[in-house]
Amino acid sequence: MPHLRLALILLFIILNTITVLAQEKPFNVVNITPDGTKYIKFGMNLQVWGRYSELNPNSKIGTTEVNDAYDIVIRRLRLQAMGMLTDNIFFHLQLGQNNINFTQNNGPSNAPLSVMDALGEYHFSEKLHIGGGLTAWGAGTTRYSANSSSSQLTLDTPMYQQFANTSSTFGNRNLSIYAKGYLGKFNYRAAITNPYRNSSNNLGLNSTVSTETPRAQYSGILTYSFLDKESLEDAYHKGTYLGTKKVFNIALGYMTQAKAMWHLTPDATVAYDDMKVLGFDVFYDSSINTKGAALTAYAAFNNNDYGKNYIQSVNTPNPAIGDNTLINGSGAGFIGVGTGNIYYAQLGYLFGKSDNEAKKGRFQPYAATQIADLKALDTPMTMYELGVNYYTTGTLGPKFSLNYQNRAVYDQTLIGAYKQSDRLGMVVLQCQVSF
């Protein structure tokens, strides 16, 4: 019987898809009412990587220490449904998995789909939506704390903005209650989160995440839109609109959690630190000529206080065996989060449409950099990326991306700040299929 029910549900979806295709409507939207105010929308995103990585010192694959690695990765898989069921009730359900490669489970991977988003909302008015569940509405302080993975400008989102939250999972989703809405040219999101508890005890002289029962986490972002408003349908910010909107936003965000961190004092007593993160960013996306050429630009600043000399490696996905004792992290990780200031910027240019209407494909070269000026480092960590996207239909959907990333590597010392010792690189070719 369960299999019969599943088959009937799939048949219903297929028949509805055929019906809406025949009506020349978006094939992934099923209208519940003729005017489309009540609807269910389906989506899928698959990102497959072919990658070559120069690995950090002392990285291992299995029991063997190696300097580099090739791997194939399913970076993301997403299956989702969302929609307005009544005049006031909205839902969002998303299943998926991240970072499936040959290291997962030490063998062939049959990683199950996990629940990534499961939420319900009540819309009082345009000014106030209240919801709760497993969600990214309280993800962090800057734009890409919650990112739309299918519309990223660079190969991957600036992951440090998600790693900034020390108590979350699956791309910064948390169990939260939240409020959001529009206030004129402003929009806002604010959340109270029940954080996940850290189970790895690394208590030492430098600050780490406490393993004690976590206290509530509070976060919010206030955004001002100079031009077009962005959608608040779901929590995920687009990385590029390919010039289909004129967007110019500035935003200010915060996140705090009492006694989230701890460290040992010289007399071997435990001291607690609050997690406090402040974020400010600017986003611009607009066409710049009649052929549809477009410019996308983004810049962000974060001030992070996690306590004494806290650092965290950003390594997603890891081509080597995870080893948190390595200062840079294992694999292709770099020191991207910690107590101090972090600066980030990206810039992309989308070439205009061809005069030949049969040629739909469009190229979008881009560049990005992150500078992490952290208390534990002798010099700021710098990472830069160069790449290009090719949109096969000229729209957000199927695309290929080629990306080169170069990162700073540090030596661990017993006394004083960590010093940069090398720079290493990573090359990725991505195929993305989404709707």
Side-chain angles (χ1 to χ4, degrees):
M1 288 299 291
H3 296 292
L4 178 60
R5 287 195 207 99
L6 178 60
L8 289 173
I9 292 170
L10 290 173
L11 180 61
F12 172 78
I13 293 171
I14 291 169
L15 289 174
N16 272 280
T17 299
I18 293 171
T19 301
V20 295
L21 277 171
Q23 297 171 350
E24 296 185 349
K25 294 179 180 178
F27 74 90
N28 61 327
V29 178
V30 177
N31 287 333
I32 299 173
T33 56
D35 62 1
T37 57
K38 301 177 185 66
Y39 62 92
I40 299 176
K41 179 166 63 177
F42 299 94
M44 185 275 288
N45 186 29
L46 172 66
Q47 296 174 342
V48 180
W49 287 10
R51 176 174 60 168
Y52 168 74
S53 308
E54 295 179 318
L55 303 185
N56 294 335
N58 306 121
S59 293
K60 291 181 179 180
I61 294 179
T63 59
T64 305
E65 191 170 304
V66 292
N67 296 321
D68 57 6
Y70 296 89
D71 65 341
I72 298 170
V73 185
I74 296 178
R75 175 64 182 94
R76 290 181 178 89
L77 172 61
R78 302 286 188 270
L79 300 171
Q80 67 175 332
M82 66 176 74
M84 293 296 301
L85 301 179
T86 70
D87 290 334
N88 306 100
I89 301 296
F90 175 84
F91 82 98
H92 184 193
L93 175 65
Q94 183 165 217
L95 307 178
Q97 190 54 263
N98 292 335
N99 308 327
I100 301 173
N101 70 353
F102 73 100
T103 68
Q104 194 169 57
N105 301 325
N106 295 314
S109 174
N110 285 307
L113 292 178
S114 297
V115 177
M116 292 187 155
D117 292 89
L119 62 87
E121 285 178 10
Y122 189 87
H123 294 188
F124 291 92
S125 68
E126 185 183 63
K127 297 179 180 179
L128 179 61
H129 303 169
I130 291 181
L134 181 60
T135 173
W137 281 109
T141 67
T142 34
R143 183 178 185 86
Y144 299 125
S145 298
N147 69 295
S148 168
S149 60
S150 62
S151 66
Q152 293 166 167
L153 172 63
T154 52
L155 173 78
D156 213 337
T157 193
M159 290 301 300
Y160 81 90
Q161 294 190 13
Q162 297 181 12
F163 279 52
N165 189 338
T166 61
S167 304
S168 64
T169 188
F170 277 127
N172 238 8
R173 296 163 175 90
N174 297 274
L175 295 166
S176 305
I177 55 173
Y178 61 90
K180 62 184 175 75
Y182 296 103
L183 300 172
K185 285 186 170 291
F186 287 95
N187 73 70
Y188 70 92
R189 56 179 71 195
I192 303 174
T193 291
N194 183 191
Y196 296 98
R197 188 180 75 85
N198 174 40
S199 59
S200 301
N201 190 345
N202 293 312
L203 181 60
L205 295 178
N206 291 331
S207 183
T208 58
V209 182
S210 169
T211 62
E212 294 182 355
T213 301
R215 302 192 179 195
Q217 185 181 101
Y218 303 90
S219 63
I221 301 176
L222 181 65
T223 302
Y224 183 83
S225 301
F226 292 95
L227 302 175
D228 293 348
K229 288 182 179 179
E230 293 190 273
S231 171
L232 292 179
E233 181 183 45
D234 60 49
Y236 303 106
H237 292 101
K238 288 187 179 296
T240 177
Y241 286 96
L242 303 183
T244 59
K245 292 174 71 75
K246 294 183 180 293
V247 179
F248 179 31
N249 292 345
I250 60 172
L252 182 67
Y254 75 95
M255 181 169 60
T256 184
Q257 182 182 333
K259 295 187 175 181
M261 321 297 293
W262 62 4
H263 67 272
L264 290 175
T265 64
D267 60 0
T269 60
V270 177
Y272 294 88
D273 298 295
D274 298 340
M275 179 184 69
K276 292 175 286 187
V277 181
L278 178 69
F280 174 79
D281 60 15
V282 181
F283 176 77
Y284 176 83
D285 189 287
S286 178
S287 60
I288 56 175
N289 64 25
T290 56
K291 287 191 174 183
L295 191 68
T296 302
Y298 175 71
F301 165 77
N302 281 96
N303 175 259
N304 309 312
D305 185 357
Y306 301 99
K308 181 183 176 183
N309 289 336
Y310 176 76
I311 57 171
Q312 185 178 3
S313 173
V314 174
N315 190 359
T316 305
N318 194 348
I321 299 299
D323 186 346
N324 293 329
T325 66
L326 302 179
I327 181 62
N328 302 284
S330 61
F334 58 88
I335 302 171
V337 176
T339 296
N341 295 323
I342 300 177
Y343 309 86
Y344 179 84
Q346 59 180 214
L347 179 66
Y349 176 79
L350 177 70
F351 284 94
K353 299 175 182 177
S354 172
D355 292 331
N356 184 347
E357 292 186 1
K359 295 182 178 179
K360 302 293 187 182
R362 301 171 75 183
F363 285 95
Q364 184 186 45
Y366 61 80
T369 186
Q370 179 184 340
I371 301 172
D373 186 9
L374 306 180
K375 299 292 186 182
L377 304 181
D378 181 62
T379 57
M381 189 293 304
T382 58
M383 179 279 293
Y384 67 84
E385 293 181 307
L386 299 171
V388 61
N389 298 316
Y390 177 68
Y391 299 91
T392 61
T393 62
T395 62
L396 288 173
K399 75 172 181 179
F400 291 91
S401 302
L402 180 64
N403 186 88
Y404 172 73
Q405 181 193 90
N406 187 275
R407 66 191 188 277
V409 174
Y410 286 78
D411 278 340
Q412 189 163 6
T413 58
L414 295 176
I415 300 175
Y418 304 135
K419 297 182 183 297
Q420 183 177 329
S421 58
D422 201 357
R423 298 196 66 88
L424 297 174
M426 180 176 73
V427 179
V428 178
L429 177 63
Q430 173 186 261
C431 175
Q432 173 176 292
V433 181
S434 65
F435 64 83

